Amino acid sequence: MRIRIALPACAIALVLLGDVLLLTQQDRSTAVSLDAAVKGFRATDSQSSETTFTTIAPRGPSSPGSPTSAAPARGAAPTPARPSATTAAATPAPFRLPVQGVYAYRTQGHETVSMGGGRHDYPERTFATVRAKGGCDWELEHRVLEEHIERRLQCSGPGQLTEKDERVDITFFGQKNTAYYRCDPPLVLAQAGDQPGAKRTGTCRADDGQAVLTTTFVGRERLTIGGVAVDAIRVRMEGVVSGRAEGTSFSDTWAHPDTGLMLKSIRKVDTRAKAFGTTVDYREEATYELEKLEPAT
């Protein structure tokens, strides 16, 4: 017996595509340590000393500084401070890649499946790794647990932050399940000139379903990250899932205005699928808050 779980863009419409649930194994959840996350980053970043990508450290308007990268850039001009008014444009043009490394998030939340009492309680700290992938592309790998790993491919391009695809690996009762969603055309998350209330709708597709996602630019809100004031952009996303599973999702995400790096996110997911004459529900509630702007490397 096994379940299948799929995750569309921005981790906001998790889909349970239940077949059958294996109840002969004990469910478990395994926290990921900072040390393990950093070792994983170093193991897959052997070319970082030769990278030609120009990245800029996420920072707030009260702490301007020179751009940095995994291999520090030389001679680049600092990015000017951003205004704090909620009616200001969403972001400068262009977006820039966030600094590569491992970011720590204060975490609250859990996920459940309705068969077998499956439940994963998230640890108090989780870690997400940023890697440059070429051009404007960068990957965020968030290891919420060893049993719940999310990977998103985003593009911080001229005047626009987009998402191209997302993969999730989730394990319940010893059964690892992988799903991959493609956003073609890329899902626009934020754009230069956005005003509060601006809406967009996009579709991300898997082999056996899709998610229609509506994003709303809420405005700018000041957050304090590691003692630094940051003029974050806030984007709300609502998803409707169809195909082998049906359900809804909701998230609020606060992102850095220079890079699009997630500073804070609150999300709720509620989906269900039919399996062997019954329905199987998947639910998730989670909150993530970045601890500091500088990653561990």
Side-chain angles (χ1 to χ4, degrees):
M1 297 183 176
R2 75 186 166 89
I3 56 171
R4 292 185 58 211
I5 299 177
L7 180 71
C10 297
I12 34 152
L14 200 60
V15 182
L16 183 65
L17 303 177
D19 276 341
V20 197
L21 191 62
L22 181 64
L23 301 178
T24 59
Q25 298 188 36
Q26 183 177 1
D27 193 26
R28 59 181 298 179
S29 57
T30 309
V32 179
S33 69
L34 175 60
D35 183 61
V38 171
K39 286 181 179 178
F41 167 70
R42 292 173 179 171
T44 59
D45 196 47
S46 59
Q47 296 181 348
S48 63
S49 61
E50 301 175 4
T51 182
T52 59
F53 305 129
T54 299
T55 61
I56 186 167
R59 62 180 183 274
S62 63
S63 59
S66 298
T68 61
S69 66
R74 297 180 181 275
T79 299
R82 307 290 177 247
S84 61
T86 58
T87 57
T91 181
F95 275 95
R96 305 226 168 107
L97 303 183
V99 172
Q100 298 181 90
V102 178
Y103 294 85
Y105 290 86
R106 293 186 296 275
T107 302
Q108 297 181 28
H110 63 273
E111 61 183 350
T112 63
V113 291
S114 59
M115 294 182 69
R119 179 184 173 105
H120 295 158
D121 290 310
Y122 296 163
E124 294 182 357
R125 299 179 81 216
T126 59
F127 305 98
T129 300
V130 167
R131 299 182 180 90
K133 306 300 286 186
C136 68
D137 291 347
W138 56 282
E139 179 188 70
L140 181 74
E141 179 188 83
H142 194 175
R143 289 184 172 264
V144 181
L145 295 164
E146 290 291 0
E147 295 79 14
H148 184 131
I149 303 170
E150 303 169 9
R151 297 177 177 89
R152 298 195 292 276
L153 181 65
Q154 297 186 175
C155 168
S156 293
Q160 195 174 73
L161 175 68
T162 62
E163 180 156 326
K164 295 183 175 181
D165 62 46
E166 182 157 344
R167 168 185 166 133
V168 65
D169 296 287
I170 295 181
T171 302
F172 272 99
F173 298 96
Q175 298 295 312
K176 179 180 177 180
N177 302 275
T178 298
Y180 175 63
Y181 274 76
R182 300 165 300 279
C183 306
D184 186 14
L187 183 70
V188 178
L189 304 178
Q191 187 167 283
D194 276 348
Q195 299 296 320
K199 289 181 179 291
R200 299 180 185 89
T201 299
T203 302
C204 298
R205 295 177 175 86
D207 292 338
D208 45 15
Q210 68 176 29
V212 177
L213 304 167
T214 300
T215 61
T216 303
F217 175 62
V218 179
R220 285 178 177 263
E221 294 184 11
R222 185 67 59 89
L223 300 181
T224 301
I225 309 295
V228 177
V230 182
D231 190 21
I233 57 175
R234 180 179 176 183
V235 177
R236 178 169 297 152
M237 188 176 292
E238 296 166 285
V240 177
V241 179
S242 61
R244 292 190 62 195
E246 296 181 351
T248 61
S249 63
F250 174 89
S251 75
D252 262 343
T253 298
W254 290 255
H256 197 281
D258 288 340
T259 66
L261 179 70
M262 180 178 74
L263 302 176
K264 178 180 177 180
S265 184
I266 301 172
R267 73 191 189 200
K268 184 175 182 180
V269 178
D270 191 345
T271 61
R272 63 175 47 190
K274 288 189 176 181
F276 294 88
T278 186
T279 58
V280 181
D281 296 329
Y282 173 89
R283 293 188 174 91
E284 183 192 29
E285 295 185 11
T287 300
Y288 303 103
E289 296 183 69
L290 185 66
E291 289 187 348
K292 63 179 182 177
L293 296 169
E294 300 78 17
T297 58

